[in-house]
Amino acid sequence: PSPTACEERKWHPNDDSTKCTNVEQSVSNDIPGMSSDEEYDTLQECCEDIFDSGEGCEYEDVCNPVPDETPVPTPEPTPEPTPEPTPSPTSCDNRKWYIFLTPGGFNICSNGYDIPQNLGVDDITFFDTLGQCCESEFGDNAKCRYRDACITLSPTPVPTTGEPTFGSSPTVSKETTGPPTMEAKRKPYGRQYGDSVE
């Protein structure tokens, strides 16, 4: 037999008589207490007759099923915190100078990456130039120790000596060609732990 259309379904108590239902059932006169008299045209009639309730009763309507409790949606997984990006190094043109206490216990001006982690940016005075830092820490015209992260000194090459040569000894001229020359003095700009900056 084909299923009964919803409009034609009859209401009756369910098998354990806890609610009214319109689920199609096979009526058998062999079941004690079950007769075709317990079928109703409406839900309200079933509730009133079986449960003495004019206010309604629990029911199961196969034509308009009530979903089981709506499940609580699964929350979105909490994303792992995104680590802060590593800032790119400041270009040498934009580096600021500050006073740094060396492990040896003396102050120098530095523009390096050696700010102690226990100090915040607000705990340090920054200067736009090496000269400003030196003047602030060491005074005007005083020797200024500094470390410039932008200048890397290459190591002094080790002189190579070839095998000794044998032969004539060099001769020294006895002619006088002019007065002795002075040795050129250079200012030590950009040396690590430089002695002074003017």
Side-chain angles (χ1 to χ4, degrees):
S2 61
T4 306
C6 281
E7 302 83 39
E8 299 172 10
R9 288 185 177 268
K10 300 291 184 183
W11 288 90
H12 58 88
N14 66 352
D15 292 338
D16 57 0
S17 295
T18 56
K19 58 185 167 186
C20 288
T21 183
N22 61 359
V23 173
E24 212 169 344
Q25 66 176 354
S26 57
V27 177
S28 168
N29 289 332
D30 297 342
I31 300 174
M34 183 66 152
S35 69
S36 57
D37 294 349
E38 292 182 349
E39 287 189 332
Y40 305 93
D41 290 329
T42 67
L43 171 60
Q44 185 172 353
E45 289 174 356
C46 179
C47 288
E48 287 175 357
D49 191 49
I50 302 297
F51 300 103
D52 295 325
S53 173
E55 300 295 315
C57 63
E58 288 201 34
Y59 66 93
E60 176 185 18
D61 185 353
V62 294
C63 296
N64 294 303
V66 176
D68 292 337
E69 284 188 36
T70 304
V72 176
T74 304
E76 291 290 323
T78 304
E80 291 294 321
T82 304
E84 290 294 320
T86 303
S88 58
T90 305
S91 71
C92 284
D93 294 338
N94 297 326
R95 295 197 69 75
K96 299 288 185 186
W97 290 87
Y98 54 91
I99 297 165
F100 174 71
L101 178 63
T102 67
F106 56 91
N107 287 343
I108 64 169
C109 287
S110 176
N111 66 352
Y113 300 97
D114 46 11
I115 298 173
Q117 289 185 354
N118 62 340
L119 292 180
V121 175
D122 296 334
D123 299 326
I124 299 173
T125 302
F126 289 95
F127 303 94
D128 291 328
T129 66
L130 173 59
Q132 290 172 346
C133 181
C134 289
E135 186 176 321
S136 172
E137 178 61 21
F138 302 104
D140 207 13
N141 296 324
K143 286 188 173 187
C144 176
R145 293 177 167 242
Y146 65 97
R147 180 178 353 194
D148 188 342
C150 296
I151 297 177
T152 308
L153 297 177
S154 57
T156 305
V158 176
T160 57
T161 56
E163 293 293 319
T165 57
F166 298 99
S168 63
S169 299
T171 57
V172 177
S173 170
K174 296 189 187 209
E175 290 180 31
T176 305
T177 57
T181 56
M182 298 287 291
E183 180 182 325
K185 298 254 182 184
R186 298 178 109 181
K187 293 188 180 193
Y189 177 75
R191 293 189 325 190
Q192 290 187 329
Y193 298 109
D195 292 331
S196 66
V197 171
E198 296 177 29

